[in-house]
Amino acid sequence: MTSRLKLVGSLVVASALTMAVAQAQTPPFGQEEDTAYAQKVWAAMEELNLAGDGAIHAFPYAGTDPHGMMLETFYQNAEIDGQAGTLVVKRNYGPEGVTADQVLSDPGEHLGSVTVMFKRESGYDAENKDWFYAKYLPDGSLDKNPGGIELAGRVAKGNAEAGCIACHSAAPGEDFLFTTDRTGW
Ligand code: HEC
């Protein structure tokens, strides 16, 4: 009886360990719930004319890596799944040397990607100010990291050297936003 209990006990421990390992290997982004959420964000952007055929434009300004050589940034309020939050959309244009005029005369030709942050419900990622990140290709599909994981969610929480959070956590003002700290627009 005792040995049977011990056996059951060690099985429980073993499966708990397996689960812990599985969890550690599941990145906090690129999961089904993240990509489904990213589709809703893109749909909201289309509705707000921030993406798609009717998208509005601003005067592009010079940017740097990793985002692009010419940028447009928009701050809006959006509602996803009934939750209102700040939506920040950054369009990233290239290639190197492209001018604002060239971008404006043919934005579709120069658009490389669209990077987005949306402020989710509190508790989504409390230690990182609850931002959801996504990187889209111009057609609205998600870009992937070198490991083939789609860039949507808490990208790449837990990896201090790579990903959106690692860099944006260094933005002045501790709000994870860079453009709000820009001077000389
Ligand atoms: C190596 C640093 C770095 C990484 C990595 C990075 N960003 Fe940024 N991001 C910046 C900088 C710098 C700006 C400000 C650019 C500007 O407009 O001058 C910015 C701006 C933005 C903005 C506009 C809001 C703001 O902070 O000004 C969004 C949205 C954004 N990034 C999304 C993303 C997403 C999504 C990812 C990951 C796929 C990502 N970023 C990865 C540095 C980074």
Side-chain angles (χ1 to χ4, degrees):
M1 187 66 192
T2 338
S3 62
R4 208 171 143 203
L5 267 180
K6 259 195 203 145
L7 180 64
V8 171
S10 53
L11 277 177
V12 170
V13 170
S15 61
L17 273 177
T18 320
M19 273 165 64
V21 169
Q23 245 166 25
Q25 285 169 345
T26 306
F29 62 99
Q31 307 304 307
E32 213 176 302
E33 58 176 309
D34 304 313
T35 56
Y37 196 89
Q39 279 171 14
K40 292 180 188 173
V41 173
W42 185 265
M45 285 160 56
E46 286 183 320
E47 216 156 280
L48 291 164
N49 285 335
L50 290 174
D53 288 342
I56 50 165
H57 285 280
F59 194 75
Y61 59 95
T64 51
D65 277 337
H67 279 298
M69 296 305 130
M70 276 285 160
L71 305 171
E72 284 177 306
T73 303
F74 301 90
Y75 283 79
Q76 272 277 4
N77 290 315
E79 201 175 300
I80 312 286
D81 284 343
Q83 183 242 318
T86 303
L87 172 70
V88 196
V89 175
K90 174 177 288 301
R91 297 202 199 113
N92 309 290
Y93 297 98
E96 200 169 347
V98 72
T99 64
D101 281 347
Q102 286 168 334
V103 168
L104 283 175
S105 62
D106 196 350
E109 178 65 29
H110 296 99
L111 187 61
S113 66
V114 183
T115 37
V116 171
M117 293 165 71
F118 178 68
K119 186 79 144 195
R120 286 194 61 161
E121 71 278 6
S122 77
Y124 170 68
D125 189 5
E127 58 187 2
N128 295 306
K129 298 271 156 76
D130 300 317
W131 289 106
F132 173 89
Y133 295 81
K135 182 173 183 186
Y136 304 90
L137 298 172
D139 66 358
S141 63
L142 285 163
D143 199 6
K144 295 180 180 147
N145 75 2
I149 303 176
E150 289 178 308
L151 294 169
R154 288 160 282 216
V155 191
K157 188 177 157 87
N159 185 341
E161 271 126 55
C164 324
I165 294 177
C167 194
H168 275 258
S169 63
E174 292 181 11
D175 55 3
F176 288 66
L177 296 171
F178 285 98
T179 37
T180 48
D181 310 293
R182 270 176 83 106
T183 51
W185 284 81

